[in-house]
Amino acid sequence: MTKASSKGGSLRDKLDGNELDLSLNNLNEVPVKELAALPKATILDLSCNKLTTLPSEFCGLTHLVKLDLSKNKLQQLPADFGRLVNLQHLDLLNNRLVTLPVSFAQLKSLKWLDLKDNPLDPALAKVAGDCLDEKQCKQCANKVLQHMKAVQADQERERQRRLEVEREVEKKREAKQRAKEAQERELRKREKAEEKERRRKEYDALKAAKREQEKKPKKETNQAPKSKSGSRPRKPPPRKHTRSWAVLFCVAGGLVACRVTELQQQPLCTSVNAIYDSALQGLRRHEILQWVLQTDSQQ
């Protein structure tokens, strides 16, 4: 691997004012660290070497104003090549470049550009033109910058479109997830309400059964049992005046014995017969009927 320092001392020794010539040194890599230590070297010539790539650190050499990379074997430029914002003159003649990085559009100070003898993309080659003289190279710089700005805008729109699509997909996914969560919450809420209603009904049923149980003894003690038809029980029939009739039968039997038998001469039968005669006379005046009724009412 050949470096500039091996071709005759340090880079500082090669510095001539603000120009540093590292051409024709068979370089296959750029001494970026050494170049970064020489901010005065605003003009850098790396032509006629064997460079195939430039490291990304090369884009940190923002002090460069003029850069010659012609007649190398560069296949592409670093993606952040646009960081060289102070670059005004760029020679890329006779390399192997097909496209330029999108960041190339950020080289707003670029006034001169040569892209001849590169296998450029047809659209880029048409924009770059021939660059056969100073005027054409200036036009090349202007047209290529405009073209790269358009490419950058197209890529930015495409990036925004993809981001928008991704956002829409994410929104739909989130909306679907929210709908699913809301459905699950509603289902849990409904199940909870149904469980609460079931428990409430069980509670009301238990309370009603308890109240019914508490009322049952009171009905048995305070209310007479109803008949099968639901009507009130009949009152017991009034007691017959059995005592009065028994007395009458006894008196009648004694009276018959005293009237028709041999006992009529006995002192008791004499009295009975006398009472009978008196009663018979009173019966004719309905006095005996009133006496019977009064006797019953007193009993």
Side-chain angles (χ1 to χ4, degrees):
M1 185 177 292
T2 305
K3 293 187 178 181
S5 57
S6 65
K7 291 289 183 178
S10 65
L11 295 183
R12 193 176 298 277
D13 296 334
K14 294 180 177 290
L15 185 61
D16 183 9
N18 64 341
E19 295 185 20
L20 181 60
D21 188 358
L22 297 179
S23 63
L24 300 170
N25 277 283
N26 290 324
L27 296 176
N28 51 22
E29 68 176 32
V30 180
V32 178
K33 291 183 179 180
E34 290 83 351
L35 293 174
L38 298 173
K40 291 182 180 181
T42 57
I43 299 174
L44 178 61
D45 189 354
L46 289 169
S47 64
C48 301
N49 283 291
K50 299 178 180 180
L51 301 175
T52 57
T53 59
L54 296 176
S56 59
E57 293 80 7
F58 183 85
C59 302
L61 303 177
T62 57
H63 58 277
L64 294 177
V65 175
K66 184 177 180 179
L67 176 61
D68 189 350
L69 290 167
S70 63
K71 297 181 181 180
N72 278 281
K73 299 178 181 180
L74 295 173
Q75 297 179 5
Q76 61 181 8
L77 298 177
D80 52 353
F81 193 80
R83 291 173 57 192
L84 302 175
V85 292
N86 293 312
L87 196 60
Q88 298 179 16
H89 185 109
L90 178 60
D91 194 343
L92 293 169
L93 171 71
N94 195 9
N95 277 278
R96 299 177 181 178
L97 298 172
V98 178
T99 60
L100 297 174
V102 178
S103 65
F104 200 91
Q106 300 173 12
L107 301 177
K108 297 179 180 180
S109 300
L110 190 64
K111 305 299 181 183
W112 194 98
L113 176 64
D114 190 355
L115 286 171
K116 289 193 306 295
D117 299 330
N118 280 283
L120 297 174
D121 178 80
L124 179 58
K126 183 178 180 180
V127 171
D130 295 330
C131 194
L132 298 175
D133 55 28
E134 188 76 10
K135 182 180 179 180
Q136 289 183 352
C137 288
K138 288 182 178 179
Q139 290 177 349
C140 176
N142 183 53
K143 290 180 179 180
V144 169
L145 282 178
Q146 294 302 320
H147 174 73
M148 296 310 299
K149 287 179 180 178
V151 172
Q152 185 181 46
D154 290 342
Q155 289 190 3
E156 180 63 20
R157 283 193 294 270
E158 179 62 20
R159 188 181 70 86
Q160 291 296 333
R161 188 191 67 80
R162 288 197 301 268
L163 288 176
E164 186 65 23
V165 171
E166 291 175 359
R167 282 194 291 266
E168 288 297 324
V169 172
E170 182 65 19
K171 285 181 180 179
K172 290 181 179 179
R173 188 192 66 80
E174 291 177 354
K176 186 176 181 180
Q177 182 65 23
R178 287 194 298 269
K180 181 179 178 181
E181 292 175 355
Q183 186 177 6
E184 291 176 352
R185 286 196 301 270
E186 186 64 24
L187 179 60
R188 289 194 297 268
K189 184 178 179 181
R190 186 165 60 250
E191 290 176 349
K192 186 176 180 181
E194 291 175 355
E195 176 65 16
K196 185 177 180 180
E197 181 65 17
R198 184 186 64 79
R199 293 174 61 187
R200 186 188 65 81
K201 289 181 178 180
E202 290 180 354
Y203 175 80
D204 291 343
L206 290 174
K207 293 289 289 184
K210 186 175 181 181
R211 286 194 300 268
E212 191 66 22
Q213 189 68 23
E214 291 175 352
K215 289 179 181 179
K216 189 174 182 181
K218 294 180 180 180
K219 289 182 179 180
E220 292 178 353
T221 55
N222 297 336
Q223 297 182 3
K226 296 181 178 181
S227 63
K228 292 183 180 180
S229 60
S231 60
R232 291 185 178 181
R234 298 178 181 179
K235 292 182 180 181
R239 295 167 59 185
K240 296 180 179 180
H241 302 287
T242 56
R243 181 184 297 180
S244 298
W245 287 108
V247 171
L248 288 177
F249 281 125
C250 291
V251 171
L255 180 59
V256 171
C258 289
R259 297 284 291 184
V260 298
T261 65
E262 298 176 354
L263 296 177
Q264 58 183 340
Q265 299 299 325
Q266 296 294 327
L268 179 60
C269 287
T270 302
S271 300
V272 171
N273 289 330
I275 293 172
Y276 173 77
D277 292 337
S278 298
L280 185 61
Q281 294 177 2
L283 182 61
R284 293 190 182 97
R285 295 189 300 270
H286 302 285
E287 290 179 358
I288 187 63
L289 180 60
Q290 293 178 3
W291 176 78
V292 171
L293 294 176
Q294 287 177 358
T295 303
D296 290 340
S297 62
Q298 289 177 358
Q299 292 177 355

